[in-house]
Amino acid sequence: QGFITKKGKKILLINRRDVPAEFELPKEMAGGTVSAVDVTTDDNPPSMAKLNGATIKMEPYAVVVVGKD
């Protein structure tokens, strides 16, 4: 699911499977920020990272928002 907001473009990804998944994103999302919630974050805030390239690897049952300003 993609969104255009006042702060830029965002993509919502959900891995509903119990195995890791890898997705190829549009090249314009390279270098964007990644906010993720999965089984490793537990009840803590989402993990934050910088997207290197346009490929993202997701853990099982992860919910990720990729943003690009």
Side-chain angles (χ1 to χ4, degrees):
Q1 181 79 34
F3 302 92
I4 298 176
T5 68
K6 292 179 183 179
K7 294 185 178 183
K9 295 180 180 180
K10 299 190 184 297
I11 297 176
L12 172 68
L13 301 167
I14 301 172
N15 182 5
R16 296 174 36 182
R17 304 182 82 192
D18 63 351
V19 294
E22 188 171 308
F23 296 96
E24 186 71 27
L25 300 174
K27 296 195 185 305
E28 67 186 74
M29 298 306 284
T33 57
V34 177
S35 176
V37 176
D38 58 30
V39 294
T40 63
T41 57
D42 200 24
D43 287 333
N44 297 311
S47 62
M48 303 294 287
K50 194 90 161 161
L51 183 63
N52 294 327
T55 302
I56 186 167
K57 295 178 184 173
M58 296 175 60
E59 295 298 321
Y61 305 113
V63 177
V64 173
V65 175
V66 180
K68 182 72 176 201
D69 297 335

